[in-house]
């Protein structure tokens, strides 16, 4: 609760004090948005061409075959349909995501969600419902919030789409460092997600956009998708703030990254 109040007051101050850059605090020229030019320049957007399912950017159009999928998705396609990411998980985007997730910078959800709306334009159709990837309640108590649920709330506010921030529940905590390979991570998150029963009827026959801060191996998103489809959702698409690429995962394996 105390954590939550600290976050809340920080969020509030952000709105009453004339804000500089939301990331570094530098002064911003009038009408310059929430990030200064330097921080903005540090963002690497996921621009086309990218994989239609997992949003990994292609080095060139040569990799994008007629189906628009990367090799991995073509071989073992995920259960969800489309995947969209605002940024590649590096530099500035990484700072924003980590700040939101571990640094209590809940106001970053506003910035990230704004860019996620641009990235997810084609999947945020009128009839979709937004559902966040859940975190385990032990983590929720410690952190005071689920960063994906914060993103969902802002996305819903920006787009007017319906949202169910508590639709999914995580039965047990999983170790974040074990998400290095798709197979290993898949085994770990198998059967870890459940649908809260009071959302069963509400979600029946709906198209879901599943929201998270980052997409790494996709195993967590897949576990959520499986539960949603088993409970008669028509389709699931994925929308994340940042896509962790293979390179980033390898760097983290070497201990350079702390996510
Ligand atoms: Zn800045
Ligand atoms: Zn892919």
């Amino acid at each position: 609760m105390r954590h939550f109040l600290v976050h809340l007051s920080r969020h509030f101050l952000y709105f009453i004090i004339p804000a500089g850059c939301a990331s570094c605090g530098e002064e911003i020229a009038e009408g310059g948005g929430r990030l200064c030019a330097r921080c903005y320049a540090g963002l690497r957007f996921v621009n086309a061409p990218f994989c239609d399912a997992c949003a990994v950017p292609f080095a060139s159009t040569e990799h994008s075959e007629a189906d628009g999928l990367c090799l991995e998705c073509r071989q073992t396609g995920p259960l969800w349909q489309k995947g969209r990411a605002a940024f590649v998980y590096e530099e500035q985007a990484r700072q924003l995501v980590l700040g939101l997730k571990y640094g209590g910078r809940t106001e970053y959800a506003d910035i990230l969600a704004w860019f996620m709306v641009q990235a997810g334009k084609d999947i945020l159709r009128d009839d979709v419902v937004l559902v966040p990837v859940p975190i385990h309640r032990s983590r929720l108590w410690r952190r005071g919030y689920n960063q994906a649920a914060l993103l969902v709330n802002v996305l819903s506010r920006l787009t007017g789409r319906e949202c169910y921030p508590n639709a999914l529940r995580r039965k047990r905590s999983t170790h974040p460092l074990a998400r290095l390979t798709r197979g290993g991570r898949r085994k770990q998150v198998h059967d870890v997600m459940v649908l809260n029963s009071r959302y069963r009827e509400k979600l029946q026959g709906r198209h879901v956009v599943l929201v998270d801060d980052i997409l790494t191996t996709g195993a967590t998103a897949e576990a959520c998708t499986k539960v949603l489809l088993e409970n008669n959702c028509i389709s699931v698409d994925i929308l994340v703030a940042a896509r962790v690429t293979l390179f980033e995962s390898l760097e983290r394996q070497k201990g350079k990254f702390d996510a």
Side-chain angles (χ1 to χ4, degrees):
M1 191 61 187
R2 196 178 63 84
H3 280 279
F4 180 70
L5 289 176
V6 170
H7 300 317
L8 202 68
S9 58
R10 194 177 285 158
H11 202 66
F12 181 64
L13 285 174
Y14 177 74
F15 284 107
I16 56 167
I17 294 173
C21 170
S23 181
C24 73
E26 277 289 302
E27 213 172 293
I28 299 177
E30 213 176 313
R34 286 184 169 181
L35 293 177
C36 70
R38 195 164 50 91
C39 289
Y40 188 84
L43 292 169
R44 197 177 138 209
F45 294 92
V46 175
N47 292 318
F50 55 83
C51 173
D52 193 46
C54 75
V56 72
F58 295 134
S60 75
T61 43
E62 287 157 38
H63 296 279
S64 156
E65 301 286 327
D67 59 4
L69 298 178
C70 71
L71 192 63
E72 191 168 8
C73 287
R74 195 172 307 136
Q75 282 169 351
T76 45
L79 293 172
W80 69 79
Q81 294 185 345
K82 291 178 184 302
R84 300 290 179 262
F87 312 108
V88 174
Y89 187 66
E90 58 178 36
E91 291 186 46
Q92 192 59 42
R94 182 172 159 270
Q95 201 179 312
L96 290 171
V97 167
L98 291 180
L100 170 65
K101 199 169 185 162
Y102 301 114
R105 304 298 300 263
T106 48
E107 72 274 18
Y108 286 175
D110 292 349
I111 303 172
L112 293 168
W114 191 85
F115 287 106
M116 288 164 78
V117 171
Q118 319 306 313
K121 244 182 249 162
D122 65 330
I123 59 168
L124 290 166
R125 299 181 316 263
D126 297 352
D127 59 341
V128 300
V129 54
L130 306 169
V131 172
V133 169
I135 59 174
H136 188 250
R137 64 167 192 276
S138 62
R139 205 161 281 171
L140 192 63
W141 284 337
R142 226 175 310 135
R143 196 175 295 166
Y145 56 89
N146 170 10
Q147 70 281 357
L150 292 187
L151 291 171
V152 153
N153 286 332
V154 184
L155 286 168
S156 174
R157 205 173 65 217
L158 293 174
T159 60
R161 303 295 172 260
E162 224 175 321
C163 68
Y164 296 140
N166 299 312
L168 291 171
R169 189 165 56 82
R170 193 186 279 253
K171 280 194 279 188
R172 55 176 194 276
S173 196
T174 52
H175 202 277
L177 292 179
R179 64 179 165 213
L180 297 172
T181 66
R182 198 176 264 194
R185 183 69 181 152
R186 209 175 243 171
K187 209 181 286 170
Q188 201 199 27
V189 295
H190 174 72
D191 261 6
V192 83
M193 304 294 175
V194 277
L195 186 73
N196 282 332
S197 53
R198 65 177 187 278
Y199 291 95
R200 198 161 287 147
E201 268 182 40
K202 291 181 177 161
L203 281 167
Q204 254 180 37
R206 300 298 303 268
H207 295 281
V208 174
V209 171
L210 183 71
V211 173
D212 208 355
D213 52 346
I214 58 169
L215 180 66
T216 308
T217 64
T220 305
E222 191 152 79
C224 294
T225 304
K226 185 165 163 276
V227 170
L228 291 166
L229 294 177
E230 280 168 1
N231 283 279
N232 303 318
C233 291
I234 297 177
S235 69
V236 179
D237 292 326
I238 309 286
L239 179 59
V240 297
R243 176 68 165 102
V244 181
T245 60
L246 179 65
F247 173 74
E248 298 288 336
S249 302
L250 290 174
E251 288 298 298
R252 198 171 48 214
Q253 232 166 336
K254 283 190 273 171
K256 283 190 182 176
F257 287 75
D258 50 343

